[in-house]
């Protein structure tokens, strides 16, 4: 069972348990921080083995969102929600609307969005009961598919990594391996091909590979994701599952840079040091994949793609700032990214002590 929900180990502001027996809704909303504004983060619909597992997950995910939103320069804190159940069988209009009423009851302290197991159509249902919803369908004023700016942000992070390492953001001629060409990966490939990079892809799904090959026949295909991980590359871009960098895989990497969309790429604390010892520049995942949250959060101001894209472009400068801080303070980039996020949360929230009218 999770220790210290009320203690320093957790550090969360508020954790809300939501139950509606009639619809079968069992949800937990965790607000890690509202230091920078309302806590934004998606709702995960997942068949957790236990309520304790669900609590652990939502506590970790909401903290991650606070750091991601802070680094992305958003005026938003971090939160996340989980609905316990099988999205394929337990999801209903009534359950989603019951959940929406709990979101509404928090008065805007928490703003929700899509995550694993929830989709744009679900957010449209939640939005029938709450004003505090993003990730709705474009017809409903929503931002649509967040993969578009997620991929664009990863591309900016990769350009910043190249600039830091090779003195130019130009990726022309660089050999880049994209592992996982799903919603984000395949758009990243588009940016890379346009930039003149030599792209190699891998995926466990043959249709996903075919979709890329149909539009870009020049893209190489690795035999297997595992082959790609150890291939001669300039940049390795994990765009599938988390935990891809571990004690077994890091020694086999030959790329100079790791920069991709997958969440939680480091399997456990300490891997960032192993990457550093091997002179591999790691662009923190929660920094470079923030384009998606930038895209959906723009809905709060009336969605404007051009404005959201401008904000995602700034991930280039933020990534460079993280690498510069890492060098200045002699720490790995993930530690520098954490420090930058913590500084922003503390400096900006302090301003609230200045009374305004
Ligand atoms: N979609 C977003 O806006 C967004 C935002 C932030 C982070 N992310 C993260 O980026 C990653 C990709 O997201 P997505 O939306 O493109 O998901 P997706 O499900 O559309 O694509 C994932 C792809 O990876 C492939 N895959 C699965 N296992 C693999 C393996 N072992 N090796 C190689 N490929 C494998 C799948 O076949 C699929 O094509 C996830 O980790 C997600 O959490 C996505």
């Amino acid at each position: 069972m999770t220790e210290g929900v009320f203690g320093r180990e957790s550090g969360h502001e508020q954790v809300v348990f939501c139950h509606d027996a009639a619809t079968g809704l069992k949800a937990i909303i965790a607000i890690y921080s509202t230091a920078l504004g309302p806590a934004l983060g998606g709702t995960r619909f997942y068949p957790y083995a236990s309520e304790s597992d669900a609590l652990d997950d939502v506590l970790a995910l909401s903290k991650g969102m606070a750091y991601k939103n802070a680094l992305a320069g958003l005026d938003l804190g971090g939160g996340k929600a989980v609905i316990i159940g099988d999205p394929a069988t337990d999801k209903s209009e009534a359950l989603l609307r019951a959940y929406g009423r709990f979101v509404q009851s928090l008065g805007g302290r928490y703003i929700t969005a899509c995550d694993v197991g929830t989709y744009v159509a679900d957010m449209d249902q939640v939005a029938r009961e709450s004003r505090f919803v993003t990730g709705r369908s474009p017809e409903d004023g929503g931002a649509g598919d967040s993969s578009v700016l997620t991929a664009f942000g990863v591309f900016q992070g990769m350009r910043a990594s190249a600039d830091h390492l090779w003195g130019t953001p130009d990726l022309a001629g660089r050999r880049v391996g994209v592992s996982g060409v799903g919603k984000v990966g395949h758009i990243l490939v588009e940016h890379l091909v346009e930039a003149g990079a030599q792209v190699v892809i891998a995926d466990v799904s043959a249709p996903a590979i075919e979709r890329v090959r149909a539009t870009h026949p020049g893209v190489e295909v690795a035999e297997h994701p595992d082959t790609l991980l150890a291939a001669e590359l300039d940049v390795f871009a994990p765009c599938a599952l988390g935990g891809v960098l571990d004690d077994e895989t890091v020694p086999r990497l030959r790329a100079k840079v790791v920069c991709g969309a997958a969440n939680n790429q480091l399997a456990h604390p300490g891997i960032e040091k192993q990457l550093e010892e091997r002179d591999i520049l790691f662009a923190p995942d929660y920094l470079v994949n923030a384009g998606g949250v930038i895209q959906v959060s723009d809905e709060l101001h009336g969605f404007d793609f051009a404005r959201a894209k401008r904000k995602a472009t700034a991930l280039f400068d933020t990534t460079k700032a993280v690498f510069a801080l890492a060098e200045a303070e002699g720490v790995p980039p993930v530690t520098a990214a954490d420090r930058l996020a913590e500084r922003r949360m503390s400096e900006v929230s302090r301003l609230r002590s200045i009374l305004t009218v």
Side-chain angles (χ1 to χ4, degrees):
M1 180 67 188
T2 308
E3 297 291 334
V5 177
F6 293 103
R8 290 156 60 119
E9 298 93 324
S10 157
H12 290 70
E13 277 180 28
Q14 191 176 12
V15 181
V16 182
F17 292 78
C18 317
H19 185 215
D20 180 53
T23 58
L25 174 74
K26 276 198 220 165
I28 312 173
I29 299 173
I31 295 173
Y32 179 75
S33 166
T34 55
L36 294 175
L40 173 71
T43 300
R44 184 163 293 195
F45 203 132
Y46 191 77
Y48 291 98
S50 69
E51 289 171 14
S52 168
D53 285 358
L55 180 59
D56 283 339
D57 206 29
V58 78
L59 291 178
L61 291 166
S62 55
K63 181 173 180 180
M65 285 310 299
Y67 280 69
K68 180 184 287 205
N69 294 343
L71 271 178
L74 299 171
D75 290 332
L76 291 164
K80 198 91 179 184
V82 295
I83 297 177
I84 304 170
D86 183 343
T89 50
D90 297 334
K91 203 186 277 178
S92 66
E93 176 192 336
L95 181 144
L96 290 167
R97 291 181 70 162
Y99 171 64
R101 293 188 71 84
F102 281 103
V103 173
Q104 180 66 15
S105 75
L106 293 173
R109 284 178 53 72
Y110 169 67
I111 301 172
T112 197
C114 300
D115 194 67
V116 175
T118 55
Y119 304 91
V120 165
D122 300 331
M123 289 307 121
D124 289 343
Q125 296 288 16
V126 176
R128 293 167 79 176
E129 303 294 339
S130 176
R131 285 184 288 126
F132 307 113
V133 183
T134 63
R136 293 165 300 144
S137 56
E139 307 78 61
D140 260 353
D145 181 6
S146 63
S147 318
V148 175
L149 287 187
T150 301
F152 179 71
V154 172
F155 179 61
Q156 297 307 324
M158 210 180 277
R159 292 177 65 247
S161 305
D163 199 22
H164 181 78
L165 207 58
W166 300 305
T168 167
D170 192 357
L171 293 166
R174 296 282 172 202
R175 201 167 160 76
V176 182
V178 181
S179 186
V181 283
K183 292 192 291 292
V184 178
H186 96 272
I187 305 174
L188 178 62
V189 169
E190 306 270 334
H191 291 303
L192 290 167
V193 168
E194 201 180 319
Q198 287 176 39
V199 183
V200 195
I201 62 168
D203 199 295
V204 292
S205 151
I209 289 178
E210 274 323 302
R211 176 169 62 159
V212 174
R213 293 273 294 163
T215 37
H216 300 292
V219 163
E220 253 180 77
V221 180
E223 214 174 294
H224 190 270
D226 203 47
T227 325
L228 182 64
L229 185 133
E232 192 73 60
L233 298 169
D234 292 303
V235 183
F236 176 60
C239 294
L241 310 176
V244 69
L245 304 172
D246 61 22
D247 298 304
E248 191 268 326
T249 55
V250 171
R252 293 168 49 227
L253 282 173
R254 283 150 82 197
K256 299 281 176 295
V257 173
V258 176
C259 176
N263 275 312
N264 306 321
Q265 290 166 33
L266 306 178
H268 62 77
I271 293 291
E272 71 282 4
K273 295 204 181 73
Q274 291 187 36
L275 287 161
E276 202 172 37
E277 279 157 19
R278 294 216 48 225
D279 275 335
I280 297 169
L281 185 66
F282 177 63
D285 43 25
Y286 69 90
L287 162 63
V288 301
N289 72 14
V293 75
I294 291 173
Q295 183 169 337
V296 296
S297 68
D298 199 79
E299 266 178 70
L300 300 169
H301 315 285
F303 184 57
D304 177 344
F305 183 77
R307 177 178 57 206
K309 189 173 178 186
R310 263 197 316 277
K311 286 190 197 164
T313 307
L315 291 173
F316 177 90
D317 290 331
T318 312
T319 308
K320 287 202 65 179
V322 162
F323 292 145
L325 185 69
E327 267 187 8
E329 301 195 354
V331 292
V334 274
T335 311
D338 283 355
R339 287 183 185 173
L340 214 56
E342 282 159 6
R343 277 177 207 172
R344 184 161 180 257
M345 283 189 257
S346 124
E347 284 168 10
V348 176
S349 63
R350 192 199 57 79
L351 299 179
R352 289 186 192 166
S353 67
I354 303 170
L355 186 66
T356 58
V357 285

